[in-house]
């Protein structure tokens, strides 16, 4: 009996050793090449991105085959001109207005035609921007409240981007801009963490008129649930003000040496060229971009955000995530947006006035 | 108030028990207690999709962790997908897993598992039998869309006391039955409790000893359940039953850490952080039923019951620190409570007006209480600042009334033709919204030959209860909510038909097909939050449709000591959520093929060997279908063309078990069971990621988690 148990134990151990927890498997090669189209028409300009979508299985490079798409950009059924920017990007500067019907058709050799359509949504109207300072523990936080001309309704979608721009004036009269995009904070204090939900933090990257890549230009998606009536409030600073201050404000008294890193930081990394300018001062102001998104735009962006949780979906724990598409015959999105902007000065208005002359930000309040 | 209302209902049930104690004597009604006894063979019943499992079958065979499990038995049947490995998922004919009606002695049970789904709530020691309907639902069942699991506990022995003790790998069970008044009243009770917490005690003592006095760790998990059934026979034709089920899971964890320090003023203090988590969830049911036979042709079963399923999650954290300025204290308390309670009345009648009709009719009324509440409070006290207190509380409650009435007639049209025609009407009222549901149920049986039967059925089912869950897991944070103005009742329509044969002695062969549509399904649309909001919860769910179709084949051979069964399922399951995706897409449990081979061999007097082999097409996941090529910021990005576009590697597993059972001359039985789950240690894919090889080729890399699990259990029956 003892021998039997030993044999069973040895066999069990051996079986366990024989197996690894990794199971490679081949993927079904069912996808066909398609046209990828992303077009987000906006009132002032429309950027189109057209790329070759190769089946993931069997593809190796990111370059792909030569690809010369034929594009038709129609506004209310009338073709509009656009310009080729290279890298598969195209732009139209024709202004659009609320209610314009946009249709984009793309054809390419050996690929099925792709087309998508959308309608430009109404422009949101920010009627008031109020910035208040609150003392929380030992920190000072600023709460921003945007008031719209009406309360958003269910089924309406919005997005918000906040750009903090620091303008640096040099003694020679030139100036530089340093832009940092920040997300609207929903907490003034860590203790409030039980009162927010992840719905307040749905963020995707929106830059140069397209949704793409890294989260350096975050747009926070909003639905009517995030508004209280016609107001949307957020904190400009985190409860950990010191941390954020260290990232966004410059200590002019203790400027570091102009080493390579510092040059990188300012985006002026000109090899072999030393920047000898001397800063005279800086000003910081905030620009708030409030977007009204068409349903397609929102769904595409939300699906992009949810793809961050693919690992949970693939563990069978949450519903599947995928890339939303409203492009018939292809992949991608044709979805419009409209935008309103509010801005306000954060500090050193004298410098800003000096730099911008008679055109300070519209929200400027001395 | 909660406790009070429970006590009132249980007390009312007891009153009903006493009130009917004086009913007149009637003749033997053993048949009345077993109105479903005629359905023993699939071939003989009019309904399609019915499987009956006897209690004895449940207690033999392979038992994972040494605990026989009803749900895991059902998962092996054709037409059923199991979902995640080892869990108590039951996805019947393309269902969602939360659309199965579980009845324990006729009482609906909402929480059907322990340990997050690892074990089902049913103690098999007390189960007499269960009827599992996948289609062809008789009109007497309602309230769920996809299946009915009707579990009946066994009445206690009226003659003598006997029982059993079992010890498994992680739990122990005890069962005792016998007469209270011989030939009149009997009891049958069962208790089950896990003993993992006993294992963790020495581990914690060791860990705390090693950590020293500055850190104390605490943690324990225990699940327990209790079943009791009392049967009283006023006469052979008048039987009273009272049943109680209580089950609970308890999880607690804690950490207390101290850090001595000396502040700048030279004083000694200690920083102290404490964390405590407590989770408790479970169910309680109580029922009293009276079965009565009025002459030869009429009998009734009247019942009053109460069912409760609840969860209570608590989290506490405090941090106390010192600095030169003084003491700072931060504390947080979080609690999450939810329950569904249901009180109901049922009256079911069986009438045989003549040899050609068997009429069943009845009515029921259920009153539901739905409640969920979350509370968060935090306090902060900093030196030199006024203490701050923050908090938030949200709660949601509904009360709903659900009366229903049904009638069905089993009509023997000819000697070989039987029609079961029924109709069920249910009303559901929540707040100011009333929903109506008219549900036709028709089944038709044609005996083509004494050994060949053909059947066809059509059924409509509705469901007014929705499981609000952010994840596909049986978590305490899940809660049940009723149909409201914005969440419509779920509906299913199903057509099923098949051929059932016994071509040779001891051998049966059945083929059954189905087509099922489901409307108003809900799926959570806010996967960016793992706890669905309570207020306006409907807005976090997207409504859609589903459909499923397929074919099941069963072949069985049963000849004394050898029993062999083979099951095969060919099926398709699709979903359509327009807010989510523009077209129909596969369900995550869309397993195209499923095969189960089961063998039981009783040999050498004391031994029985059990082998179950399971194989099915892999579950579905979402993988990138395309990669964007070119230049620019979007180049190299993946595109996920459609949900659930990829199949995981096929699943297969062999479970083996052997029983050594010996009965002494005094009638006592000792049984030793060795069960080996996943006997050849094939790690089945649970999840997967996209992988690239050195050449940049894409492939899938899946990960398996559940290895071979051998368990030994011991049972003593007396």
């Amino acid at each position: 009996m003892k021998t039997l148990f030993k044999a069973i134990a040895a066999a069990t151990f051996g079986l366990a050793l024989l197996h690894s927890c990794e199971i490679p498997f081949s993927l079904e090669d069912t996808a066909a090449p398609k046209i990828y189209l992303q077009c987000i028409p906006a009132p002032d300009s429309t950027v189109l991105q057209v790329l070759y979508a190769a089946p993931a299985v069997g593809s190796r490079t990111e370059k792909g085959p030569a690809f010369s798409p034929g594009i038709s950009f129609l506004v209310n059924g009338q073709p509009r001109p656009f310009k080729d920017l290279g890298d598969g990007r195209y732009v139209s500067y024709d202004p659009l207005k609320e209610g314009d019907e946009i249709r984009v058709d793309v054809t390419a050799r050996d690929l099925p035609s792709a087309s998508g359509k959308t309608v430009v949504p109404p422009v949101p109207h920010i009627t008031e921007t109020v910035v208040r300072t609150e003392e929380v523990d030992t920190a000072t936080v600023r709460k921003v409240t945007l008031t719209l001309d009406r309360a958003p309704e269910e089924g309406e979608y919005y997005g918000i981007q906040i750009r903090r721009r620091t303008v640096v004036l040099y003694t020679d009269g030139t100036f530089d801009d340093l832009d940092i995009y920040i997300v609207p904070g929903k907490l003034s204090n860590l203790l409030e963490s039980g009162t927010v939900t992840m719905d307040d933090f749905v963020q995707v990257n929106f830059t140069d008129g397209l949704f793409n890549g890294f989260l350096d230009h975050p747009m926070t998606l909003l639905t009517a649930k995030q508004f209280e009536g016609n107001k949307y409030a957020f904190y400009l600073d985190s409860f950990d003000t010191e941390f954020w201050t260290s990232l966004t404000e410059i200590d002019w008294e203790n400027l570091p040496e102009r080493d390579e890193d510092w040059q990188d930081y300012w985006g002026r990394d000109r090899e072999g060229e030393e920047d000898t300018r001397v800063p005279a001062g800086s000003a910081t102001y905030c620009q708030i971009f409030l977007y009204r998104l068409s349903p397609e735009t929102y769904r595409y962006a939300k699906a992009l955000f949810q793809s961050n949780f693919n690992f949970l979906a693939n563990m069978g724990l949450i519903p599947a995530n995928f890339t939303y598409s409203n492009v018939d015959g292809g992949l991608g999105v044709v979805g419009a947006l409209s935008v309103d902007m509010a801005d306000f000065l954060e500090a050193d208005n004298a410098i800003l006035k000096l730099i911008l002359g008679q055109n300070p930000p519209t929200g400027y309040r001395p | 108030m909660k406790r009070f209302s429970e006590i009132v209902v249980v007390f009312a049930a007891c009153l009903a028990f006493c009130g009917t104690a004086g009913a007149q004597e009637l003749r033997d009604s053993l048949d009345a207690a077993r109105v479903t006894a005629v359905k023993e063979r699939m071939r003989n019943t009019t309904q399609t999709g019915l499987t009956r499992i006897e209690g004895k079958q449940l207690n033999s065979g392979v038992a994972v962790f040494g605990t026989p499990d009803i749900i895991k038995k059902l998962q092996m049947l054709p037409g059923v997908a199991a979902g995640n490995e080892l869990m108590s998922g039951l996805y019947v004919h393309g269902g969602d897993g939360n659309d199965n009606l579980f009845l324990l002695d006729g009482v609906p049970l909402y929480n059907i598992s322990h340990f997050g789904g690892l074990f089902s709530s049913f103690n098999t020691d007390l189960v007499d039998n269960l009827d599992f309907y996948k289609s062809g639902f008789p009109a007497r069942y309602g309230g769920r869309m996809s299946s009915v699991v009707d579990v009946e506990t066994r009445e206690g022995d009226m003659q003598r006391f006997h029982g059993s003790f079992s010890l498994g790998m992680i739990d122990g069970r005890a069962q005792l039955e016998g007469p209270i008044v011989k030939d009149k009243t009997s009891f049958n009770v069962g208790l089950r409790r896990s003993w993992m917490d006993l294992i963790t005690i020495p581990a914690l003592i060791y860990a705390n000893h090693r950590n020293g006095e500055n850190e104390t760790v605490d943690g324990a998990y225990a699940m327990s359940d209790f079943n009791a059934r009392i049967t009283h026979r006023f006469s052979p034709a008048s039987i009273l039953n009272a049943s109680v089920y209580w089950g609970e899971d308890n999880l607690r964890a804690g950490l207390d850490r101290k850090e001595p320090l000396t502040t700048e003023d030279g004083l000694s203090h200690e920083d102290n952080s404490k964390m405590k988590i407590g989770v408790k969830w479970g169910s309680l049911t109580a029922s009293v039923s009276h079965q009565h036979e009025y002459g030869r042709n009429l009998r009734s079963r009247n019942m009053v019951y109460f069912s409760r399923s609840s969860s209570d999650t608590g989290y506490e954290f405090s941090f106390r620190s010192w600095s030169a300025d003084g003491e700072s204290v931060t504390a947080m308390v979080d609690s999450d409570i939810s329950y569904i309670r249901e009180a109901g009345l049922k009256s079911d009648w069986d009438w045989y007006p003549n040899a050609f009709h068997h009429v069943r009719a009845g009515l029921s009324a259920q009153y539901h209480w739905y409640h969920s509440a979350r509370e968060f409070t935090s306090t902060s006290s900093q030196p030199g600042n006024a203490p701050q207190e923050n908090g938030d509380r949200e709660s949601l409650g509904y009360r709903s009334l659900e009366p229903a009435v049904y009638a069905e007639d089993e009509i023997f049209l000819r000697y070989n033709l039987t029609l079961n025609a029924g109709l069920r009407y249910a009303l559901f009222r929540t707040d100011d919204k009333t929903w109506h549901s008219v549900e036709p149920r028709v089944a038709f049986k044609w005996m083509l030959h004494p050994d060949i039967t053909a059947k066809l059925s059509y059924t409509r089912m509705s469901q007014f209860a929705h499981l609000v869950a952010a994840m596909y897991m049986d978590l305490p944070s899940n809660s049940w909510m009723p149909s409201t103005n914005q969440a419509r009742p779920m509906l299913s329509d199903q057509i099923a038909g098949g051929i059932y044969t016994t071509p040779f002695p001891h051998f049966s062969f059945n083929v059954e097909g189905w087509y099922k549509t489901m409307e108003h399904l809900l799926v959570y649309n806010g996967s960016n939050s793992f706890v669905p909001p309570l207020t306006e919860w409907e807005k976090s769910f997207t409504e859609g449709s589903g459909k499923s179709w397929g074919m099941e084949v069963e072949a069985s051979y049963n000849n004394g000591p050898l029993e062999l069964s083979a099951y095969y399922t060919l099926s398709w399951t699709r979903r359509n959520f327009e807010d989510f995706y523009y077209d129909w897409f596969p369900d995550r449990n869309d397993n195209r093929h499923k095969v189960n081979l089961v063998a039981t061999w009783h040999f050498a007097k004391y031994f029985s060997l059990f082998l179950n082999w399971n194989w099915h097409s892999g579950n579905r996941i979402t993988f990138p279908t395309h990669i964007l090529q070119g230049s620019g910021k979007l180049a190299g990005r993946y595109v996920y063309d459609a949900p659930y576009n990829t199949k995981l590697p096929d699943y297969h597993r062999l479970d083996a078990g052997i029983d050594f059972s010996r009965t002494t001359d005094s009638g006592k039985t000792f049984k030793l069971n060795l069960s080996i789950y996943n006997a050849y240690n094939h790690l089945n894919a649970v999840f997967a990621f996209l992988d690239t090889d050195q050449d940049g080729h894409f492939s899938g890399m899946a990960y398996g988690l559940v290895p071979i699990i051998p368990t030994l259990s011991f049972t003593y029956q007396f």
Side-chain angles (χ1 to χ4, degrees), chain A residues 15-177:
Chain A
L15 277 170
L17 279 182
L18 280 173
H19 286 76
S20 154
C21 70
E22 288 188 344
I23 309 157
F25 65 102
S26 55
L27 298 169
E28 295 165 46
D29 187 7
T30 54
K34 286 184 178 177
I35 293 168
Y36 173 85
L37 164 66
Q38 191 185 136
C39 174
I40 313 291
D44 57 345
S45 64
T46 301
V47 179
L48 294 92
Q49 174 89 62
V50 181
L51 290 171
Y52 182 86
V57 178
S59 299
R60 297 201 310 169
T61 66
E62 294 181 4
K63 285 291 173 196
F67 181 55
S68 303
I71 300 169
S72 142
F73 179 62
L74 304 172
V75 179
N76 299 322
Q78 299 301 312
R80 292 284 176 98
F82 54 86
K83 195 173 149 189
D84 188 346
L85 299 176
D87 292 343
R89 284 193 309 142
Y90 306 84
V91 65
S92 164
Y93 292 112
D94 269 15
L96 301 174
K97 61 181 186 309
E98 172 186 337
D100 279 349
E101 291 178 11
I102 313 296
R103 181 186 168 95
V104 183
D105 296 304
V106 183
T107 55
R109 200 173 159 183
D110 299 330
L111 291 177
S113 303
S115 71
K117 56 188 177 184
T118 188
V119 175
V120 177
V123 178
H125 292 292
I126 303 171
T127 56
E128 189 181 28
T129 307
V130 176
V131 186
R132 286 212 170 92
T133 302
E134 291 180 5
E135 295 294 326
V136 179
D137 293 342
T138 56
T140 302
V141 294
R142 282 166 297 173
K143 185 178 188 179
V144 181
T145 304
L146 304 179
T147 305
L148 305 193
D149 59 345
R150 64 177 189 81
E153 293 172 6
E154 193 186 337
E156 292 181 3
Y157 304 105
Y158 294 82
I160 187 168
Q161 266 185 323
I162 304 162
R163 181 166 70 190
R164 174 178 274 161
R165 169 163 286 182
T166 300
V167 185
V168 183
L169 177 68
Y170 296 92
T171 51
D172 64 0
T174 59
F175 62 88
D176 278 333
D177 294 340

Side-chain angles (χ1 to χ4, degrees), chain B residues 366-384:
Chain B
Q366 296 155 8
Y367 195 78
H368 309 268
W369 294 264
Y370 300 86
H371 177 80
S372 278
R374 290 187 194 133
E375 190 167 357
F376 172 80
T377 55
S378 64
T379 52
S380 171
S381 150
Q382 307 286 341

Side-chain angles (χ1 to χ4, degrees), chain A residues 249-258 262 279:
Chain A
E249 292 189 0
I250 298 155
D251 182 0
W252 295 105
E253 301 295 322
N254 300 293
L255 281 177
E257 293 296 319
R258 289 186 178 278
W262 183 241

Side-chain angles (χ1 to χ4, degrees), chain B residues 536-667:
Chain B
E536 298 184 313
W537 62 272
E538 301 97 327
K539 289 183 181 172
S540 293
F541 286 79
T542 299
E543 189 182 289
S545 320
K547 59 185 176 186
S548 174
W549 65 98
M551 181 183 79
E552 302 166 3
V553 181
E554 289 187 41
S556 297
Y557 174 78
N558 185 346
N559 188 8
L562 184 64
E563 294 167 33
L564 299 171
S565 299
Y567 308 115
Y568 169 71
T569 309
L570 173 68
S571 66
W572 288 261
T573 301
R574 296 282 184 271
R575 291 286 185 271
N576 184 13
F577 291 87
E578 283 183 8
D579 283 353
F580 190 53
Y581 187 67
Y582 66 94
D583 202 356
W584 288 91
F585 58 89
D587 183 56
R588 66 196 174 99
N589 295 311
D590 181 31
N591 308 130
R592 184 76 61 254
H593 307 279
K594 181 185 174 190
V595 175
N596 285 91
L597 303 176
V598 183
T600 304
W601 182 31
H602 307 283
F603 67 102
K605 193 174 177 182
Y606 303 125
F607 289 94
S608 299
L609 178 71
F610 308 96
L611 294 171
N612 302 334
W613 187 69
N614 310 276
W615 177 90
H616 65 73
S617 311
N619 291 343
R620 300 196 72 88
I621 56 170
T622 312
F623 253 31
T625 47
H626 293 82
I627 181 169
L628 300 184
Q629 294 186 326
S631 51
K633 286 184 175 176
L634 286 172
R637 284 187 71 90
Y638 294 137
V639 178
Y640 300 77
D641 192 0
Y644 300 116
N645 53 27
T646 301
K647 183 175 76 66
L648 280 174
D650 293 342
Y651 179 102
H652 57 94
R653 190 189 85 223
L654 175 72
D655 299 336
I658 189 161
D659 273 0
F660 170 74
S661 176
R662 187 164 184 189
T663 305
T664 63
D665 294 339
S666 57

Side-chain angles (χ1 to χ4, degrees), chain B residues 31-228:
Chain B
D31 286 345
R34 294 171 176 277
V35 290
T36 54
V38 293
K39 302 180 297 184
E40 287 194 4
R41 295 286 170 199
M42 284 185 76
R43 190 167 55 85
N44 295 333
T45 58
T46 309
Q47 259 71 31
T48 58
L50 167 64
T51 303
R52 164 165 279 214
I53 301 177
E54 298 294 335
K56 280 180 186 172
Q57 291 173 267
L58 296 169
N59 275 323
S60 62
V62 180
V64 187
F65 301 116
T67 304
D69 194 301
I70 283 179
I71 306 294
K72 289 187 173 52
K73 287 269 185 197
L74 297 179
Q75 286 175 343
M76 296 197 310
L77 297 176
V80 179
N84 291 346
E85 186 164 17
L86 272 183
M87 295 292 116
S88 296
L90 201 67
Y91 304 91
V92 183
H93 285 184
D96 263 350
N98 53 26
D99 45 11
N100 307 304
L101 176 65
F102 288 92
L103 296 170
L104 182 60
D105 288 330
V107 183
L109 199 59
Y110 286 86
N111 180 6
I112 54 103
S113 66
H114 290 295
F115 208 170
L118 209 54
F119 305 107
S120 73
S121 301
F122 304 96
N123 183 347
T124 53
D125 287 343
L126 278 88
V127 174
D128 188 30
N129 63 70
L130 75 84
D131 285 338
F132 176 47
Y133 292 90
K134 294 175 287 187
S135 62
F137 309 103
R140 57 186 177 276
Y141 295 113
R144 292 292 184 281
M145 262 196 335
S146 283
S147 82
V148 176
V149 183
D150 189 356
V151 180
E152 196 75 23
T153 58
R154 199 175 60 247
E155 75 172 49
D157 196 318
M158 292 281 180
Q159 300 294 327
R160 64 183 190 88
F161 291 97
H162 55 92
S164 64
F165 292 106
S166 299
L167 198 61
M169 190 169 142
I170 55 173
D171 72 344
R173 312 194 306 274
Q175 180 263 333
L176 184 67
E177 62 183 293
I180 297 171
V181 178
K182 212 168 182 181
D183 292 330
K184 281 280 184 190
T185 311
S186 71
F187 72 94
N188 191 359
V189 295
L191 180 68
R192 191 164 62 146
R193 193 189 189 283
S194 64
W195 47 276
M196 281 174 286
D197 48 337
L198 300 180
I199 302 174
T200 54
I201 288 172
L204 288 172
I205 290 172
Y206 172 73
N208 289 329
H209 175 72
R210 208 175 141 185
N211 292 338
E213 59 182 19
N214 288 331
E215 188 170 305
T216 309
V217 186
D218 182 30
Y221 167 77
M223 63 105 173
S224 31
D225 54 40
F226 170 77
N227 291 73

